[in-house]
Short mmCIF file of all heavy atoms in Angstrom, two decimals:
data_model
loop_
_atom_site.label_atom_id
_atom_site.label_comp_id
_atom_site.label_asym_id
_atom_site.label_seq_id
_atom_site.Cartn_x
_atom_site.Cartn_y
_atom_site.Cartn_z
N MET A 1 -23.08 -8.87 8.06
CA MET A 1 -24.21 -7.82 8.33
C MET A 1 -25.17 -8.07 7.17
O MET A 1 -25.05 -8.27 6.09
CB MET A 1 -23.55 -6.49 7.91
CG MET A 1 -24.44 -5.38 8.13
SD MET A 1 -23.40 -3.84 8.24
CE MET A 1 -24.56 -2.76 7.76
N THR A 2 -26.48 -8.03 7.73
CA THR A 2 -27.63 -8.31 6.87
C THR A 2 -28.12 -7.02 6.30
O THR A 2 -28.03 -6.00 6.93
CB THR A 2 -28.72 -9.01 7.65
OG1 THR A 2 -29.21 -8.16 8.68
CG2 THR A 2 -28.24 -10.34 8.19
N MET A 3 -28.71 -7.09 5.10
CA MET A 3 -29.29 -5.97 4.45
C MET A 3 -30.79 -6.00 4.82
O MET A 3 -31.54 -6.97 4.53
CB MET A 3 -29.17 -5.94 2.92
CG MET A 3 -27.72 -5.82 2.45
SD MET A 3 -27.31 -4.08 2.74
CE MET A 3 -26.17 -4.05 1.54
N GLY A 4 -31.31 -4.95 5.49
CA GLY A 4 -32.64 -4.97 5.84
C GLY A 4 -33.20 -3.62 5.59
O GLY A 4 -32.85 -2.88 4.65
N HIS A 5 -34.26 -3.31 6.33
CA HIS A 5 -35.00 -1.96 6.17
C HIS A 5 -33.99 -0.71 6.20
O HIS A 5 -34.13 0.19 5.45
CB HIS A 5 -36.05 -1.95 7.23
CG HIS A 5 -36.81 -0.48 7.23
ND1 HIS A 5 -37.61 -0.16 6.16
CD2 HIS A 5 -36.79 0.55 7.96
CE1 HIS A 5 -38.17 0.95 6.35
NE2 HIS A 5 -37.57 1.39 7.56
N ASN A 6 -33.03 -0.64 7.22
CA ASN A 6 -32.12 0.35 7.30
C ASN A 6 -31.34 0.65 6.13
O ASN A 6 -31.08 1.74 5.74
CB ASN A 6 -31.29 0.25 8.56
CG ASN A 6 -32.02 0.38 9.89
OD1 ASN A 6 -33.13 0.97 9.76
ND2 ASN A 6 -31.49 -0.11 10.79
N SER A 7 -30.91 -0.37 5.38
CA SER A 7 -30.09 -0.09 4.13
C SER A 7 -30.94 0.57 3.04
O SER A 7 -30.39 1.44 2.35
CB SER A 7 -29.48 -1.39 3.70
OG SER A 7 -30.42 -2.24 3.29
N SER A 8 -32.18 0.24 3.02
CA SER A 8 -33.06 0.89 1.99
C SER A 8 -33.41 2.33 2.42
O SER A 8 -33.21 3.22 1.48
CB SER A 8 -34.47 0.18 2.02
OG SER A 8 -35.29 0.80 1.13
N VAL A 9 -33.41 2.55 3.72
CA VAL A 9 -33.58 3.99 4.17
C VAL A 9 -32.38 4.82 3.92
O VAL A 9 -32.39 5.89 3.48
CB VAL A 9 -34.02 4.03 5.64
CG1 VAL A 9 -33.91 5.41 6.23
CG2 VAL A 9 -35.38 3.44 5.87
N ASN A 10 -31.29 4.15 4.21
CA ASN A 10 -29.90 4.75 3.97
C ASN A 10 -29.72 5.07 2.55
O ASN A 10 -29.18 6.03 2.21
CB ASN A 10 -28.69 4.01 4.56
CG ASN A 10 -28.74 3.96 6.10
OD1 ASN A 10 -29.36 4.83 6.72
ND2 ASN A 10 -28.11 2.94 6.53
N ALA A 11 -30.10 4.16 1.61
CA ALA A 11 -29.89 4.45 0.22
C ALA A 11 -30.75 5.58 -0.26
O ALA A 11 -30.36 6.36 -1.12
CB ALA A 11 -30.38 3.19 -0.55
N ASP A 12 -32.07 5.71 0.27
CA ASP A 12 -32.96 6.76 -0.09
C ASP A 12 -32.38 7.99 0.39
O ASP A 12 -32.53 9.03 -0.38
CB ASP A 12 -34.33 6.43 0.45
CG ASP A 12 -35.06 5.31 -0.14
OD1 ASP A 12 -34.67 4.91 -1.37
OD2 ASP A 12 -36.08 4.86 0.34
N THR A 13 -31.89 7.96 1.63
CA THR A 13 -31.34 9.18 2.22
C THR A 13 -30.10 9.66 1.39
O THR A 13 -29.94 10.84 1.09
CB THR A 13 -30.89 9.07 3.67
OG1 THR A 13 -32.05 8.57 4.32
CG2 THR A 13 -30.43 10.23 4.25
N ALA A 14 -29.22 8.74 1.00
CA ALA A 14 -28.11 9.09 0.16
C ALA A 14 -28.52 9.61 -1.23
O ALA A 14 -27.88 10.49 -1.73
CB ALA A 14 -27.27 7.80 0.00
N LYS A 15 -29.54 9.07 -1.79
CA LYS A 15 -29.97 9.46 -3.06
C LYS A 15 -30.59 10.90 -2.95
O LYS A 15 -30.31 11.79 -3.83
CB LYS A 15 -31.16 8.58 -3.57
CG LYS A 15 -30.56 7.27 -4.24
CD LYS A 15 -31.81 6.52 -4.77
CE LYS A 15 -31.28 5.11 -5.19
NZ LYS A 15 -32.43 4.22 -5.64
N ARG A 16 -31.27 11.26 -1.95
CA ARG A 16 -31.89 12.57 -1.64
C ARG A 16 -30.75 13.56 -1.52
O ARG A 16 -30.70 14.63 -2.09
CB ARG A 16 -32.68 12.57 -0.52
CG ARG A 16 -33.45 13.91 -0.26
CD ARG A 16 -34.73 13.89 0.28
NE ARG A 16 -35.39 15.15 0.28
CZ ARG A 16 -36.09 15.57 1.23
NH1 ARG A 16 -36.43 14.85 2.23
NH2 ARG A 16 -36.60 16.87 1.22
N LEU A 17 -29.70 13.26 -0.58
CA LEU A 17 -28.66 14.06 -0.43
C LEU A 17 -27.83 14.39 -1.77
O LEU A 17 -27.50 15.57 -2.06
CB LEU A 17 -27.73 13.62 0.58
CG LEU A 17 -26.37 14.24 0.91
CD1 LEU A 17 -26.69 15.69 1.40
CD2 LEU A 17 -25.50 13.55 1.94
N LEU A 18 -27.64 13.36 -2.51
CA LEU A 18 -27.00 13.45 -3.82
C LEU A 18 -27.72 14.36 -4.65
O LEU A 18 -27.14 15.36 -5.39
CB LEU A 18 -26.72 12.09 -4.50
CG LEU A 18 -26.10 12.19 -5.82
CD1 LEU A 18 -24.57 12.94 -5.75
CD2 LEU A 18 -25.94 10.89 -6.33
N SER A 19 -29.07 14.31 -4.72
CA SER A 19 -29.90 15.16 -5.50
C SER A 19 -29.75 16.64 -5.16
O SER A 19 -29.67 17.49 -5.85
CB SER A 19 -31.42 14.71 -5.41
OG SER A 19 -32.14 15.61 -5.94
N ILE A 20 -29.68 16.77 -3.73
CA ILE A 20 -29.66 18.29 -3.15
C ILE A 20 -28.30 18.77 -3.70
O ILE A 20 -28.13 19.96 -3.98
CB ILE A 20 -29.83 18.19 -1.76
CG1 ILE A 20 -31.25 17.81 -1.36
CG2 ILE A 20 -29.33 19.53 -1.00
CD1 ILE A 20 -31.49 17.52 0.10
N ILE A 21 -27.28 18.08 -3.44
CA ILE A 21 -25.89 18.51 -3.74
C ILE A 21 -25.70 18.81 -5.25
O ILE A 21 -25.18 19.81 -5.73
CB ILE A 21 -24.77 17.52 -3.38
CG1 ILE A 21 -24.78 17.33 -1.85
CG2 ILE A 21 -23.51 17.75 -4.03
CD1 ILE A 21 -23.92 16.26 -1.33
N GLU A 22 -26.35 17.96 -6.16
CA GLU A 22 -26.23 18.27 -7.50
C GLU A 22 -27.11 19.56 -7.96
O GLU A 22 -26.68 20.21 -8.87
CB GLU A 22 -26.85 16.99 -8.35
CG GLU A 22 -25.76 15.89 -8.22
CD GLU A 22 -26.48 14.61 -8.95
OE1 GLU A 22 -27.56 14.39 -8.96
OE2 GLU A 22 -25.58 13.74 -9.20
N ARG A 23 -28.24 19.65 -7.36
CA ARG A 23 -28.97 20.96 -7.66
C ARG A 23 -28.20 22.16 -7.06
O ARG A 23 -28.25 23.15 -7.86
CB ARG A 23 -30.31 20.82 -6.88
CG ARG A 23 -31.34 19.79 -7.60
CD ARG A 23 -32.63 19.41 -6.69
NE ARG A 23 -33.13 20.51 -5.97
CZ ARG A 23 -33.86 20.43 -4.85
NH1 ARG A 23 -33.97 19.18 -4.36
NH2 ARG A 23 -34.39 21.42 -4.30
N ILE A 24 -27.58 22.13 -5.98
CA ILE A 24 -26.87 23.26 -5.61
C ILE A 24 -25.56 23.45 -6.52
O ILE A 24 -25.30 24.55 -6.90
CB ILE A 24 -26.38 23.06 -4.11
CG1 ILE A 24 -27.43 23.13 -3.11
CG2 ILE A 24 -25.21 24.06 -3.74
CD1 ILE A 24 -27.17 22.55 -1.72
N GLU A 25 -24.98 22.49 -6.96
CA GLU A 25 -23.87 22.62 -7.91
C GLU A 25 -24.30 23.25 -9.13
O GLU A 25 -23.59 24.06 -9.69
CB GLU A 25 -23.16 21.19 -8.15
CG GLU A 25 -22.30 20.71 -6.94
CD GLU A 25 -21.85 19.31 -7.17
OE1 GLU A 25 -22.46 18.53 -7.95
OE2 GLU A 25 -20.97 18.85 -6.59
N ALA A 26 -25.48 22.79 -9.73
CA ALA A 26 -26.06 23.36 -10.90
C ALA A 26 -26.18 24.83 -10.65
O ALA A 26 -25.96 25.70 -11.62
CB ALA A 26 -27.20 22.65 -11.37
N LEU A 27 -26.83 25.29 -9.58
CA LEU A 27 -27.08 26.56 -9.36
C LEU A 27 -25.84 27.45 -9.21
O LEU A 27 -25.77 28.54 -9.67
CB LEU A 27 -28.09 26.74 -8.18
CG LEU A 27 -29.45 26.32 -8.29
CD1 LEU A 27 -30.15 26.27 -7.04
CD2 LEU A 27 -30.14 27.20 -9.44
N GLU A 28 -24.84 26.96 -8.57
CA GLU A 28 -23.47 27.54 -8.35
C GLU A 28 -23.08 27.84 -9.76
O GLU A 28 -22.42 28.88 -10.01
CB GLU A 28 -22.64 26.81 -7.45
CG GLU A 28 -23.01 26.69 -5.97
CD GLU A 28 -22.95 28.05 -5.28
OE1 GLU A 28 -22.19 28.96 -5.85
OE2 GLU A 28 -23.49 28.23 -4.17
N ALA A 29 -22.95 26.75 -10.60
CA ALA A 29 -22.48 26.97 -11.94
C ALA A 29 -23.21 28.09 -12.73
O ALA A 29 -22.62 28.95 -13.48
CB ALA A 29 -22.58 25.72 -12.76
N GLU A 30 -24.60 28.11 -12.57
CA GLU A 30 -25.36 29.07 -13.15
C GLU A 30 -25.04 30.58 -12.64
O GLU A 30 -24.88 31.49 -13.45
CB GLU A 30 -26.86 28.88 -13.03
CG GLU A 30 -27.75 29.69 -13.73
CD GLU A 30 -29.29 29.20 -13.55
OE1 GLU A 30 -29.52 28.10 -13.32
OE2 GLU A 30 -30.14 30.15 -13.67
N LYS A 31 -24.79 30.60 -11.35
CA LYS A 31 -24.53 31.81 -10.73
C LYS A 31 -23.08 32.33 -11.30
O LYS A 31 -22.91 33.52 -11.47
CB LYS A 31 -24.41 31.65 -9.25
CG LYS A 31 -24.03 32.93 -8.44
CD LYS A 31 -24.29 32.73 -6.95
CE LYS A 31 -23.21 31.94 -6.29
NZ LYS A 31 -23.31 31.97 -4.79
N LYS A 32 -22.19 31.32 -11.44
CA LYS A 32 -20.80 31.77 -12.06
C LYS A 32 -21.04 32.35 -13.41
O LYS A 32 -20.41 33.32 -13.72
CB LYS A 32 -19.87 30.60 -12.02
CG LYS A 32 -18.48 30.91 -12.58
CD LYS A 32 -17.58 29.65 -12.53
CE LYS A 32 -16.30 30.07 -13.23
NZ LYS A 32 -15.70 28.97 -13.72
N ASN A 33 -21.79 31.73 -14.23
CA ASN A 33 -22.00 32.11 -15.45
C ASN A 33 -22.71 33.51 -15.53
O ASN A 33 -22.42 34.43 -16.39
CB ASN A 33 -22.90 31.15 -16.35
CG ASN A 33 -22.20 29.76 -16.61
OD1 ASN A 33 -20.93 29.82 -16.62
ND2 ASN A 33 -22.95 28.65 -16.70
N LEU A 34 -23.72 33.65 -14.61
CA LEU A 34 -24.34 35.01 -14.60
C LEU A 34 -23.34 36.07 -14.25
O LEU A 34 -23.40 37.16 -14.78
CB LEU A 34 -25.44 34.91 -13.56
CG LEU A 34 -26.74 34.21 -14.13
CD1 LEU A 34 -27.82 34.06 -12.99
CD2 LEU A 34 -27.44 34.78 -15.38
N GLY A 35 -22.55 35.70 -13.25
CA GLY A 35 -21.56 36.66 -12.91
C GLY A 35 -20.62 37.09 -13.96
O GLY A 35 -20.28 38.30 -14.17
N GLU A 36 -20.22 36.20 -14.82
CA GLU A 36 -19.40 36.49 -16.03
C GLU A 36 -20.18 37.41 -16.95
O GLU A 36 -19.56 38.25 -17.55
CB GLU A 36 -18.93 35.28 -16.67
CG GLU A 36 -17.86 34.38 -15.97
CD GLU A 36 -16.66 35.14 -15.59
OE1 GLU A 36 -16.12 35.83 -16.60
OE2 GLU A 36 -16.17 35.01 -14.44
N ASP A 37 -21.48 37.07 -17.21
CA ASP A 37 -22.29 37.85 -18.09
C ASP A 37 -22.43 39.35 -17.57
O ASP A 37 -22.33 40.35 -18.32
CB ASP A 37 -23.74 37.34 -18.19
CG ASP A 37 -23.73 35.90 -18.88
OD1 ASP A 37 -22.73 35.61 -19.67
OD2 ASP A 37 -24.74 35.29 -18.84
N ILE A 38 -22.57 39.46 -16.17
CA ILE A 38 -22.62 40.78 -15.61
C ILE A 38 -21.34 41.60 -15.85
O ILE A 38 -21.31 42.72 -16.29
CB ILE A 38 -22.98 40.76 -14.16
CG1 ILE A 38 -24.47 40.28 -14.12
CG2 ILE A 38 -22.81 42.06 -13.50
CD1 ILE A 38 -24.84 39.92 -12.66
N LYS A 39 -20.23 40.87 -15.69
CA LYS A 39 -18.78 41.48 -15.84
C LYS A 39 -18.70 41.98 -17.37
O LYS A 39 -18.25 43.07 -17.65
CB LYS A 39 -17.78 40.52 -15.60
CG LYS A 39 -17.46 40.32 -14.20
CD LYS A 39 -16.28 39.26 -14.05
CE LYS A 39 -16.24 38.99 -12.45
NZ LYS A 39 -15.18 37.93 -12.33
N ASP A 40 -19.26 41.18 -18.21
CA ASP A 40 -19.21 41.57 -19.69
C ASP A 40 -19.99 42.80 -19.98
O ASP A 40 -19.76 43.68 -20.67
CB ASP A 40 -19.87 40.35 -20.61
CG ASP A 40 -18.88 39.21 -20.69
OD1 ASP A 40 -17.71 39.32 -20.27
OD2 ASP A 40 -19.42 38.15 -21.12
N ILE A 41 -21.22 42.93 -19.33
CA ILE A 41 -21.98 44.13 -19.56
C ILE A 41 -21.39 45.28 -18.90
O ILE A 41 -21.34 46.41 -19.52
CB ILE A 41 -23.39 43.91 -18.87
CG1 ILE A 41 -24.10 42.78 -19.71
CG2 ILE A 41 -24.25 45.16 -18.87
CD1 ILE A 41 -25.39 42.36 -18.99
N TYR A 42 -20.69 45.31 -17.74
CA TYR A 42 -19.92 46.36 -17.20
C TYR A 42 -18.90 46.77 -18.10
O TYR A 42 -18.53 47.89 -18.40
CB TYR A 42 -19.34 45.93 -15.80
CG TYR A 42 -20.34 46.23 -14.74
CD1 TYR A 42 -20.86 45.05 -14.07
CD2 TYR A 42 -20.90 47.41 -14.38
CE1 TYR A 42 -21.84 45.26 -12.96
CE2 TYR A 42 -21.82 47.56 -13.30
CZ TYR A 42 -22.13 46.49 -12.72
OH TYR A 42 -23.32 46.63 -11.72
N ARG A 43 -18.13 45.80 -18.78
CA ARG A 43 -17.02 46.10 -19.74
C ARG A 43 -17.67 46.89 -20.90
O ARG A 43 -17.00 47.81 -21.46
CB ARG A 43 -16.28 44.73 -20.19
CG ARG A 43 -15.21 44.35 -19.11
CD ARG A 43 -14.38 43.16 -19.72
NE ARG A 43 -15.02 41.95 -19.74
CZ ARG A 43 -15.10 41.07 -18.93
NH1 ARG A 43 -14.47 41.22 -17.71
NH2 ARG A 43 -15.77 39.86 -18.99
N GLU A 44 -18.81 46.34 -21.34
CA GLU A 44 -19.48 47.08 -22.52
C GLU A 44 -19.87 48.50 -22.09
O GLU A 44 -19.54 49.36 -22.87
CB GLU A 44 -20.68 46.21 -22.77
CG GLU A 44 -21.62 46.90 -23.87
CD GLU A 44 -22.90 46.23 -24.16
OE1 GLU A 44 -23.00 44.97 -23.73
OE2 GLU A 44 -23.85 46.78 -24.73
N ALA A 45 -20.37 48.61 -20.95
CA ALA A 45 -20.68 50.06 -20.52
C ALA A 45 -19.42 50.83 -20.36
O ALA A 45 -19.38 51.98 -20.79
CB ALA A 45 -21.37 49.84 -19.06
N LYS A 46 -18.42 50.36 -19.81
CA LYS A 46 -17.04 51.18 -19.82
C LYS A 46 -16.59 51.47 -21.18
O LYS A 46 -16.16 52.69 -21.33
CB LYS A 46 -16.08 50.27 -19.06
CG LYS A 46 -14.81 51.12 -18.76
CD LYS A 46 -13.76 50.26 -18.00
CE LYS A 46 -12.52 51.03 -17.82
NZ LYS A 46 -11.54 50.38 -16.95
N SER A 47 -16.62 50.53 -22.13
CA SER A 47 -16.15 50.86 -23.40
C SER A 47 -17.00 51.86 -24.12
O SER A 47 -16.69 52.50 -25.06
CB SER A 47 -16.00 49.54 -24.26
OG SER A 47 -17.22 49.13 -24.57
N ALA A 48 -18.27 52.03 -23.69
CA ALA A 48 -19.20 52.95 -24.28
C ALA A 48 -19.02 54.31 -23.51
O ALA A 48 -19.77 55.31 -23.77
CB ALA A 48 -20.67 52.46 -24.18
N GLY A 49 -18.10 54.49 -22.49
CA GLY A 49 -17.87 55.76 -21.94
C GLY A 49 -18.62 55.89 -20.58
O GLY A 49 -18.55 56.99 -20.00
N PHE A 50 -19.33 54.84 -20.13
CA PHE A 50 -19.99 55.06 -18.88
C PHE A 50 -19.15 54.66 -17.75
O PHE A 50 -18.26 53.92 -17.87
CB PHE A 50 -21.20 54.22 -18.85
CG PHE A 50 -22.24 54.58 -19.83
CD1 PHE A 50 -22.39 53.74 -21.16
CD2 PHE A 50 -23.04 55.71 -19.66
CE1 PHE A 50 -23.43 54.08 -22.01
CE2 PHE A 50 -24.00 56.05 -20.70
CZ PHE A 50 -24.15 55.27 -21.78
N ASP A 51 -19.41 55.21 -16.53
CA ASP A 51 -18.61 54.88 -15.29
C ASP A 51 -19.26 53.63 -14.54
O ASP A 51 -20.28 53.71 -14.08
CB ASP A 51 -18.56 56.18 -14.41
CG ASP A 51 -17.70 56.01 -13.27
OD1 ASP A 51 -16.50 55.67 -13.39
OD2 ASP A 51 -18.40 56.21 -12.08
N ALA A 52 -18.52 52.56 -14.55
CA ALA A 52 -19.03 51.39 -13.89
C ALA A 52 -19.32 51.42 -12.52
O ALA A 52 -20.42 51.06 -12.04
CB ALA A 52 -18.06 50.18 -14.18
N PRO A 53 -18.43 52.25 -11.62
CA PRO A 53 -18.91 52.39 -10.23
C PRO A 53 -20.20 53.13 -9.95
O PRO A 53 -20.94 52.85 -9.23
CB PRO A 53 -17.79 53.15 -9.63
CG PRO A 53 -16.56 52.85 -10.50
CD PRO A 53 -17.17 52.75 -11.81
N THR A 54 -20.48 54.06 -10.92
CA THR A 54 -21.75 54.89 -10.89
C THR A 54 -22.89 53.95 -11.28
O THR A 54 -23.89 53.94 -10.56
CB THR A 54 -21.69 56.06 -11.76
OG1 THR A 54 -20.61 56.89 -11.47
CG2 THR A 54 -22.87 56.85 -11.72
N ILE A 55 -22.66 53.10 -12.23
CA ILE A 55 -23.75 52.11 -12.60
C ILE A 55 -24.05 51.22 -11.43
O ILE A 55 -25.10 50.95 -11.16
CB ILE A 55 -23.29 51.44 -13.87
CG1 ILE A 55 -23.28 52.30 -15.09
CG2 ILE A 55 -24.32 50.28 -14.10
CD1 ILE A 55 -22.76 51.68 -16.29
N ARG A 56 -22.93 50.80 -10.81
CA ARG A 56 -23.17 49.90 -9.52
C ARG A 56 -23.96 50.48 -8.54
O ARG A 56 -24.84 49.90 -7.82
CB ARG A 56 -21.81 49.39 -9.09
CG ARG A 56 -21.25 48.22 -9.82
CD ARG A 56 -19.86 47.79 -9.17
NE ARG A 56 -19.33 46.72 -9.93
CZ ARG A 56 -18.50 46.75 -10.92
NH1 ARG A 56 -18.16 47.94 -11.38
NH2 ARG A 56 -18.02 45.70 -11.48
N LEU A 57 -23.62 51.85 -8.22
CA LEU A 57 -24.35 52.60 -7.30
C LEU A 57 -25.86 52.68 -7.63
O LEU A 57 -26.61 52.68 -6.77
CB LEU A 57 -23.71 53.96 -7.18
CG LEU A 57 -24.21 54.81 -5.97
CD1 LEU A 57 -24.12 54.14 -4.64
CD2 LEU A 57 -23.55 56.16 -5.96
N ILE A 58 -26.21 53.07 -8.82
CA ILE A 58 -27.54 53.14 -9.31
C ILE A 58 -28.20 51.78 -9.15
O ILE A 58 -29.34 51.88 -8.68
CB ILE A 58 -27.50 53.55 -10.76
CG1 ILE A 58 -27.00 55.07 -11.06
CG2 ILE A 58 -28.92 53.48 -11.44
CD1 ILE A 58 -26.70 55.54 -12.38
N ILE A 59 -27.59 50.81 -9.54
CA ILE A 59 -28.16 49.53 -9.36
C ILE A 59 -28.53 49.12 -7.89
O ILE A 59 -29.58 48.66 -7.49
CB ILE A 59 -27.34 48.39 -10.05
CG1 ILE A 59 -27.41 48.52 -11.55
CG2 ILE A 59 -27.90 46.92 -9.66
CD1 ILE A 59 -26.47 47.74 -12.28
N LYS A 60 -27.57 49.54 -6.98
CA LYS A 60 -27.70 49.32 -5.63
C LYS A 60 -29.01 50.12 -5.21
O LYS A 60 -29.79 49.62 -4.32
CB LYS A 60 -26.46 49.70 -4.87
CG LYS A 60 -26.58 49.69 -3.36
CD LYS A 60 -25.26 50.10 -2.76
CE LYS A 60 -25.54 50.14 -1.16
NZ LYS A 60 -24.37 50.72 -0.53
N HIS A 61 -29.07 51.48 -5.47
CA HIS A 61 -30.13 52.17 -5.02
C HIS A 61 -31.51 51.74 -5.67
O HIS A 61 -32.59 51.72 -4.95
CB HIS A 61 -29.88 53.79 -5.48
CG HIS A 61 -28.87 54.44 -4.50
ND1 HIS A 61 -29.05 54.54 -3.27
CD2 HIS A 61 -27.64 54.88 -4.84
CE1 HIS A 61 -27.90 55.20 -2.82
NE2 HIS A 61 -27.17 55.39 -3.77
N ARG A 62 -31.56 51.34 -6.78
CA ARG A 62 -32.83 50.88 -7.44
C ARG A 62 -33.26 49.48 -6.82
O ARG A 62 -34.50 49.26 -6.74
CB ARG A 62 -32.53 50.48 -8.89
CG ARG A 62 -32.50 51.92 -9.76
CD ARG A 62 -32.07 51.58 -11.17
NE ARG A 62 -32.91 50.63 -11.87
CZ ARG A 62 -33.91 50.91 -12.64
NH1 ARG A 62 -34.24 52.16 -12.89
NH2 ARG A 62 -34.57 49.93 -13.32
N ALA A 63 -32.35 48.75 -6.18
CA ALA A 63 -32.70 47.57 -5.48
C ALA A 63 -33.21 47.86 -4.16
O ALA A 63 -33.87 46.85 -3.64
CB ALA A 63 -31.46 46.69 -5.45
N GLU A 64 -33.01 49.01 -3.49
CA GLU A 64 -33.46 49.19 -2.16
C GLU A 64 -34.98 49.49 -2.19
O GLU A 64 -35.51 49.74 -3.20
CB GLU A 64 -32.75 50.62 -1.74
CG GLU A 64 -31.30 50.50 -1.41
CD GLU A 64 -30.70 51.90 -1.04
OE1 GLU A 64 -31.31 52.85 -1.23
OE2 GLU A 64 -29.50 51.76 -0.63
N ASP A 65 -35.49 49.38 -1.07
CA ASP A 65 -36.91 49.73 -0.78
C ASP A 65 -37.19 51.03 -1.16
O ASP A 65 -36.48 52.07 -0.98
CB ASP A 65 -37.18 49.44 0.73
CG ASP A 65 -38.60 49.69 0.93
OD1 ASP A 65 -39.45 48.89 0.61
OD2 ASP A 65 -38.89 50.72 1.69
N GLU A 66 -38.37 51.30 -1.83
CA GLU A 66 -38.72 52.60 -2.29
C GLU A 66 -38.76 53.65 -1.25
O GLU A 66 -38.30 54.85 -1.33
CB GLU A 66 -40.10 52.57 -2.98
CG GLU A 66 -40.49 53.86 -3.62
CD GLU A 66 -41.79 53.76 -4.41
OE1 GLU A 66 -42.12 52.72 -4.97
OE2 GLU A 66 -42.34 54.83 -4.70
N ALA A 67 -39.24 53.24 0.00
CA ALA A 67 -39.35 54.33 1.15
C ALA A 67 -37.98 54.68 1.57
O ALA A 67 -37.71 55.82 1.86
CB ALA A 67 -40.07 53.68 2.34
N LYS A 68 -37.06 53.60 1.54
CA LYS A 68 -35.67 53.91 1.97
C LYS A 68 -34.99 54.89 0.92
O LYS A 68 -34.20 55.76 1.25
CB LYS A 68 -34.81 52.59 2.05
CG LYS A 68 -33.42 52.85 2.56
CD LYS A 68 -32.68 51.60 2.90
CE LYS A 68 -31.30 51.95 3.38
NZ LYS A 68 -30.61 50.91 3.92
N ARG A 69 -35.26 54.65 -0.34
CA ARG A 69 -34.73 55.55 -1.45
C ARG A 69 -35.15 56.94 -1.27
O ARG A 69 -34.52 57.93 -1.46
CB ARG A 69 -35.15 55.03 -2.76
CG ARG A 69 -34.27 54.04 -3.42
CD ARG A 69 -34.56 53.83 -4.86
NE ARG A 69 -35.77 53.05 -4.95
CZ ARG A 69 -36.37 52.72 -6.06
NH1 ARG A 69 -36.08 53.20 -7.25
NH2 ARG A 69 -37.44 51.94 -6.01
N ALA A 70 -36.35 57.15 -0.81
CA ALA A 70 -37.01 58.46 -0.60
C ALA A 70 -36.43 59.22 0.44
O ALA A 70 -36.27 60.52 0.41
CB ALA A 70 -38.57 58.37 -0.34
N GLU A 71 -35.65 58.57 1.39
CA GLU A 71 -35.01 59.23 2.50
C GLU A 71 -33.77 59.86 1.83
O GLU A 71 -33.24 60.82 2.02
CB GLU A 71 -34.49 58.23 3.47
CG GLU A 71 -35.55 57.59 4.31
CD GLU A 71 -34.92 56.55 5.29
OE1 GLU A 71 -33.70 56.36 5.36
OE2 GLU A 71 -35.75 55.86 5.96
#
C-alpha cells in the first residue's frame, strides 16, 4: 500500500478528532470538579443551618426566565 494524499488527510482528520476528544475530556473533568465544589457549598450551607432542598429550589427559580417567574 502506498502512502499518498489520502494518508495525509486521514492523519489530519485523526489529529482533529483527537483534539476534539481531548477538549471534551478536559471539560468533563472540569464539570466533575465544579460538581464537587457545588456539593461542598451545599454541605457548608447545611452545616450553617440552611435547608439544601430550599436552596436548590431558589436557584432553580432564579435560573428561570423572569416572565415565567412572575407567573
Side-chain angles (χ1 to χ4, degrees):
M1 185 167 154
T2 61
M3 295 288 205
H5 175 70
N6 286 343
S7 65
S8 175
V9 170
N10 289 340
D12 290 342
T13 302
K15 286 179 186 177
R16 180 145 190 223
L17 178 58
L18 180 59
S19 171
I20 289 169
I21 291 169
E22 288 173 341
R23 288 168 38 212
I24 291 170
E25 288 173 335
L27 289 171
E28 290 290 345
E30 187 176 332
K31 183 169 72 170
K32 181 182 177 206
N33 290 336
L34 288 172
E36 292 299 320
D37 291 346
I38 290 169
K39 285 180 187 177
D40 289 343
I41 294 170
Y42 278 113
R43 282 192 284 270
E44 176 186 341
K46 185 177 178 180
S47 70
F50 296 106
D51 184 55
T54 302
I55 292 172
R56 283 185 173 85
L57 186 62
I58 292 168
I59 291 170
K60 178 183 172 185
H61 286 297
R62 287 171 54 99
E64 290 176 350
D65 179 76
E66 187 174 334
K68 185 172 179 174
R69 269 190 286 172
E71 292 177 4

